Amino acid sequence: MLKITGFTRGYLRRIIVVLILLALWASAVPRVSAASDWDSALDEIHNLYTDYTGLQAVLKSEIQRNQELRKQNNTALAAINVQLQATNAARLAGLRSEAEAVQKKHAPLLEQYTSLGRQATAARKANNLKSATLLEIKRNKLKTAAAAARAEVKLTASALAEAKALTAASNKPAKDALAPIANLKKQVTAQNKLLSAAQAERSEADKSYKAAVKAGDAAKAAAAMKLSYSKMVQIRTMVGQMYSWEQQISTALRAAALKLPK
């Protein structure tokens, strides 16, 4: 039988203590690691918070700036279009009314003259020379009046066309200055769709951040805050580009205003 001496018992005790310490240390490692990750996430939130809130305020201000400039541009464009439409408006309206009145006045005569010609042609094709002759006589009787009517219709139509051409020439410099605006507005619209998508993604990130904060999950809160911040950076770039386009629209509008007919 093995005898346990005092030396042996002391040695065994030391081995048991070492094993217990090793077990405690091993079980403590995951908790220490988790605590370290949690603290690290809190540090990330703390370090980013000032930049996050600052960028949020800047972005809000820049979006409002864009909206105000767009509103000013739309108002200016509408005013310029009203002025362009007003160029020679009274004269054009008078000539248009005159042309319509002359055309209406002579319409029955010209229709009758044209109809007699068609009937005479049809009679000749049918070898009905008697009817063709009678129809030609009736048509020839109206020939002078029809020619005079056509001349008057042509004269009033020509006067209207000339006035329209002069008006178009007067408006051309301003319209040429406005020409780039259509494409710029298309770019703004396309960019605005991309911006809306980015804002939706940022909104989802903000919801995740709030939910993680409520749950006390620092790691998820930090990740959501970083995602929201990156989306704000992206949105700010888009907003800046849109502002640049709105400024170009403003420049075109000022140029067009200077070129409006006096």
Side-chain angles (χ1 to χ4, degrees):
M1 185 175 179
L2 179 65
K3 293 182 179 180
I4 300 176
T5 63
F7 173 79
T8 304
R9 283 196 297 273
Y11 180 73
L12 288 174
R13 280 198 299 271
R14 285 197 294 274
I15 290 175
I16 291 169
V17 169
V18 169
L19 290 173
I20 291 171
L21 288 174
L22 285 172
L24 289 173
W25 177 82
S27 64
V29 168
R31 289 197 295 273
V32 171
S33 177
S36 176
D37 290 344
W38 197 83
D39 289 339
S40 177
L42 283 182
D43 287 341
E44 286 183 330
I45 293 171
H46 175 74
N47 293 334
L48 185 59
Y49 194 82
T50 300
D51 288 342
Y52 179 90
T53 54
L55 180 56
Q56 197 172 33
V58 168
L59 190 56
K60 182 179 179 180
S61 174
E62 290 181 352
I63 288 174
Q64 184 177 357
R65 172 203 63 189
N66 280 21
Q67 290 172 342
E68 290 173 355
L69 181 56
R70 186 176 302 117
K71 184 178 179 181
Q72 291 173 12
N73 286 342
N74 289 340
T75 300
L77 179 58
I80 288 173
N81 283 330
V82 167
Q83 288 181 266
L84 288 171
Q85 291 168 7
T87 305
N88 294 334
R91 176 168 171 73
L92 288 172
L95 290 171
R96 191 175 291 109
S97 295
E98 184 181 357
E100 289 172 356
V102 168
Q103 191 172 24
K104 185 177 180 180
K105 179 179 72 172
H106 294 307
L109 170 62
L110 294 174
E111 176 57 32
Q112 183 184 9
Y113 183 76
T114 302
S115 178
L116 287 169
R118 286 197 297 265
Q119 293 175 54
T121 299
R124 281 194 296 272
K125 286 182 179 180
N127 291 320
N128 190 343
L129 298 180
K130 180 179 177 181
S131 293
T133 301
L134 291 173
L135 290 166
E136 279 292 338
I137 290 171
K138 289 180 180 180
R139 183 174 182 273
N140 289 335
K141 185 179 179 181
L142 299 176
K143 189 172 184 178
T144 302
R150 283 177 174 169
E152 188 176 5
V153 168
K154 184 178 179 180
L155 182 65
T156 55
S158 296
L160 177 59
E162 183 179 355
K164 285 181 177 179
L166 290 173
T167 301
S170 297
N171 285 343
K172 189 177 186 303
K175 286 193 172 184
D176 286 348
L178 293 176
I181 292 178
N183 187 54
L184 289 167
K185 280 184 168 290
K186 286 180 182 178
Q187 290 177 282
V188 170
T189 300
Q191 186 82 308
N192 204 39
K193 289 179 180 178
L194 296 175
L195 186 145
S196 295
Q199 284 179 323
E201 292 175 5
R202 185 210 158 192
S203 178
E204 287 301 314
D206 285 344
K207 287 178 184 178
S208 297
Y209 170 76
K210 290 175 183 177
V213 169
K214 189 174 181 180
D217 192 330
K220 286 185 178 179
M225 176 179 270
K226 286 189 286 186
L227 176 58
S228 179
Y229 184 82
S230 70
K231 287 299 170 185
M232 279 198 289
V233 171
Q234 181 183 355
I235 289 169
R236 191 183 182 195
T237 299
M238 294 179 184
V239 169
Q241 181 60 73
M242 291 167 72
Y243 185 64
S244 173
W245 289 328
E246 290 294 344
Q247 286 180 311
Q248 291 176 54
I249 290 173
S250 294
T251 300
L253 288 168
R254 286 193 294 272
L258 293 173
K259 295 175 181 180
L260 284 168
K262 304 302 181 183

